[in-house]
Amino acid sequence: MKYKGIIFDLDGVICSTDKYHYKAWKKIADQLEIPFDEEMNDKLRGVSRMESLELILQNGEKVYSNGDKQTLAEAKNLYYQKLLKQMSSKDLSEVVQNTLYALKRKGLLLGIGSSSKNTKLILERIGLLNFFDCISDGTMIERSKPDPEVFLKAAKLLKLLPAECLVVEDASAGAEAAYKGGFDCAGIKAAREYSHITYQLDHFEDLITYIEDEYE
Ligand code: B16
Ligand code: MG
């Protein structure tokens, strides 16, 4: 096997929480009368909560204090968490679930590398809280993607070197983090177009092919 472990991004790879992030940020942006649409929301993939807020506020005219920013980020998160309660095992697609179990059966170590501080809540909603061999998330890092910290921490928890792991990402910030950390990366959605991507994933289940030694 080409790799000993696979580290998955969560939002946009294992499940889709973007619609909930969008709804929650939209509510905040509307209150502040700042323009915000789905295209802008796409730019927040893999970016931490506070950095996402900063990007949104850049489109307005007012200057906010750190205290105001904290309050806004908390309000967004409370509403986002309320929306996450709608999630269930139905939000885990059959393809993702079957692929994850097939990879596990091959003896690979599987981990999560997500910027989200809600990672455990989301994994619990979709029924995967106890599935992964490690969880590295936004609660454990100081620098968010494109810094490689979250993936380096995941590799360390798996007791593997970056060169022994494949990262799976949907965001270019995440693909860049993988590259900077010395990981190969399989990219879906926007991450497919990142310049240093190792594999462009058309279908999630194609991962099974890419981890085999003979794949070039
Ligand atoms: P939270 P990922 C990221 O998760 C999301 O893509 C990004 O939109 C979000 O701002 C970030 O988590 C922080 O999320 O507010 O829940 O801490 O793609 O790295 O799994
Ligand atoms: Mg993502």
Side-chain angles (χ1 to χ4, degrees), residues 62-132:
K62 248 181 98 179
V63 177
Y64 295 85
S65 70
N66 284 342
D68 287 343
K69 287 179 192 167
Q70 209 61 47
T71 308
L72 290 168
E74 273 163 29
K76 182 267 175 178
N77 194 48
L78 277 179
Y79 185 49
Y80 175 61
Q81 287 182 332
K82 213 164 144 187
L83 296 170
L84 287 181
K85 295 212 174 97
Q86 298 171 18
M87 286 186 92
S88 69
S89 52
K90 285 195 205 99
D91 290 276
L92 176 66
S93 79
E94 226 168 275
V95 169
V96 171
Q97 184 170 8
N98 292 342
T99 306
L100 287 174
Y101 278 91
L103 293 169
K104 199 171 224 187
R105 279 197 301 273
K106 283 181 179 284
L108 285 147
L109 291 173
L110 306 182
I112 289 285
S114 167
S115 303
S116 176
K117 293 185 172 157
N118 291 298
T119 293
K120 288 193 178 158
L121 173 64
I122 297 164
L123 288 174
E124 198 248 320
R125 298 303 310 172
I126 61 175
L128 285 182
L129 185 57
N130 298 312
F131 175 82
F132 291 95

Side-chain angles (χ1 to χ4, degrees), residues 29-56:
D30 284 353
Q31 278 167 9
L32 304 175
E33 297 179 353
I34 293 177
F36 184 70
D37 57 19
E38 302 213 18
E39 205 184 314
M40 287 182 214
N41 192 56
D42 269 350
K43 299 201 176 100
L44 307 180
R45 283 175 192 277
V47 178
S48 74
R49 196 180 309 159
M50 281 314 278
E51 283 166 281
S52 298
L53 177 64
E54 295 285 357
L55 290 173
I56 292 167

